[in-house]
Amino acid sequence: TQLQVLAEELKQQAQIRDAILATTPDHFSVVDEDGRFLFISSNVSGDIKVDPVSAMGKTWRELGIPEEIGIQGDKDREKALRTGQSVTRELELAGPNGPVYLEYVISPVKEENGETPYVVVTARDITERKKAAEAMYHTQKMESLGILAGGIAHDFNNLLVAMLAQTSLALAKLGPSAPAAPHIQKAIGAAESATALTQQLLAYSGRGQFNTIPTNLNTLIQENSHLIHVTLTKNVKLQLALTADLPAIDADTGQMQQIIMNLIINAAEAIGKQYGTITVTTQPINLTQTKIEDWPDMGQQLTAGPYVKLTIEDDGIGMDEQTIKRIFDPFFTTKFTGRGLGLAAVLALCAATKALCG
């Protein structure tokens, strides 16, 4: 009878233990000095499928655990047993939807006789935590650069206003036939180009001037089609696929024009000297709150409802994964003559006009 009571107590304790292990996000296992599992919890991290019962006495190779985990795990287990100290490791693994980050702690367990025959491994999937940390870092970096860019652009713009005023006055006094007139005209052109650059910096920093009015995106694109064609080389074809009866959006027409031009210029540069096509598409869409939350955080408070989608596609060379991660970073460019402000300004303008960009 006493044995039955003890057996029942052990069974209850085992059930409580299994319930605790099943509800914690961590994965636990016990591994001996030969690398064989003595215990393994059911909630194995990631896409690893291991049966806790059949895993007893087997190594990671026999269980089909990925080598990038197993080999490094063996090294850290041996170190923990040798030094008597816990070893913490963070691993980046290839997942079906991008990298997966795994963190584990291997702790040696010392018995009363002083021997350390096994270790306890605690592992956790920290992918979401890593993504949140990277997003926070990126937001802080963008904010700092925005403040810096806005301050420089504001002061520089004041200097350009004075330069343009003085050179325009000098040109008016000299007259167009004066020998120095062409040189002054070039100086005015250079100052105007610099003014356009400061406007991009101000747009990126969020300190640009906005006049939001109901705007038909199709009309805006069609009215600027001539200007768009002028910016494209002969080897690039522009194709418009504009949905009829497109609803109006609340936008600043000047800033919206800048978004369209920057995206088209970027697409044209991606095509390069080969023959290619840029397709501009507009269509009404309905965004749910779930879809809005799936987009990267741009510091906006958007609500679910009807929106207009603008898509600019090109059949150029494309980008690798590392470049895609940085395309909206200010001053990042893959072009020798680029300034790296075009897409950064697009992102800032989208954030200012309550739009999503990606």
Side-chain angles (χ1 to χ4, degrees), residues 81-97:
L81 291 170
R82 185 176 67 254
T83 63
Q85 302 293 323
S86 296
V87 178
T88 302
R89 180 75 58 188
E90 183 181 301
L91 296 176
E92 180 180 343
L93 311 173
N97 300 313

Side-chain angles (χ1 to χ4, degrees), residues 74-342:
D74 280 347
K75 293 178 182 177
D76 291 335
R77 174 177 50 80
E78 291 169 3
K79 181 180 178 180
L81 291 170
R82 185 176 67 254
T83 63
Q85 302 293 323
S86 296
V87 178
T88 302
R89 180 75 58 188
E90 183 181 301
L91 296 176
E92 180 180 343
L93 311 173
N97 300 313
V100 175
Y101 297 93
L102 181 69
E103 181 184 69
Y104 63 73
V105 180
I106 299 181
S107 303
V109 178
K110 209 174 262 190
E111 293 188 334
E112 291 182 359
N113 58 8
E115 294 184 354
T116 310
Y118 56 87
V119 297
V120 173
V121 182
T122 307
R124 172 177 288 192
D125 188 330
I126 59 169
T127 305
E128 292 304 317
R129 190 177 80 191
K130 288 281 290 185
K131 287 181 179 179
E134 288 176 2
M136 178 65 72
Y137 170 74
H138 187 268
T139 300
Q140 292 174 340
K141 183 178 73 171
M142 295 298 102
E143 184 178 354
S144 299
L145 285 171
I147 294 171
L148 175 64
I152 293 173
H154 183 268
D155 293 340
F156 189 50
N157 198 54
N158 291 339
L159 295 173
L160 287 172
V161 169
M163 289 171 60
L164 280 168
Q166 294 300 319
T167 49
S168 299
L169 183 61
L171 185 62
K173 287 187 175 182
L174 287 173
S177 60
H183 303 290
I184 296 175
Q185 190 63 54
K186 288 180 182 179
I188 292 173
E192 288 174 344
S193 297
T195 301
L197 177 59
T198 61
Q199 292 305 313
Q200 282 192 324
L201 281 168
L202 287 169
Y204 167 70
S205 67
R207 294 171 63 175
Q209 299 296 319
F210 294 91
N211 181 28
T212 303
I213 59 173
T215 304
N216 186 289
L217 199 54
N218 286 353
T219 304
L220 184 63
I221 293 170
Q222 290 165 343
E223 288 177 350
N224 287 276
S225 61
H226 175 70
L227 179 62
I228 294 170
H229 279 98
V230 169
T231 63
L232 301 178
T233 53
K234 293 182 179 179
N235 59 300
V236 178
K237 178 185 176 183
L238 181 67
Q239 183 174 305
L240 302 181
L242 311 180
T243 302
D245 300 323
L246 196 70
I249 60 173
D250 291 328
D252 181 293
T253 54
Q255 304 295 356
M256 201 67 222
Q257 179 181 343
Q258 186 177 347
I259 289 174
I260 296 167
M261 290 300 296
N262 283 5
L263 290 174
I264 289 177
I265 290 171
N266 192 76
E269 289 172 344
I271 293 173
K273 295 182 180 180
Q274 63 182 354
Y275 285 91
T277 302
I278 297 173
T279 305
V280 180
T281 307
T282 60
Q283 62 183 116
I285 61 170
N286 193 67
L287 286 183
T288 63
Q289 196 60 40
T290 303
K291 288 183 179 179
I292 292 173
E293 291 171 357
D294 287 341
W295 283 78
D297 185 14
M298 294 169 61
Q300 304 161 291
Q301 297 296 325
L302 299 183
T303 57
Y307 286 79
V308 170
K309 182 179 180 181
L310 169 67
T311 306
I312 296 178
E313 298 176 287
D314 66 77
D315 50 10
I317 57 175
M319 295 177 285
D320 58 35
E321 187 177 342
Q322 293 302 316
T323 302
I324 291 173
K325 289 180 179 179
R326 300 191 60 192
I327 56 172
F328 293 116
D329 286 3
F331 311 112
F332 171 75
T333 180
T334 57
K335 301 180 288 292
F336 179 73
T337 58
R339 300 189 186 97
L341 284 172

Side-chain angles (χ1 to χ4, degrees), residues 37-53:
F37 286 96
L38 305 178
F39 169 81
I40 188 167
S41 60
S42 57
N43 57 336
V44 181
S45 301
D47 297 323
I48 304 169
K49 305 299 181 186
V50 176
D51 177 30
V53 178

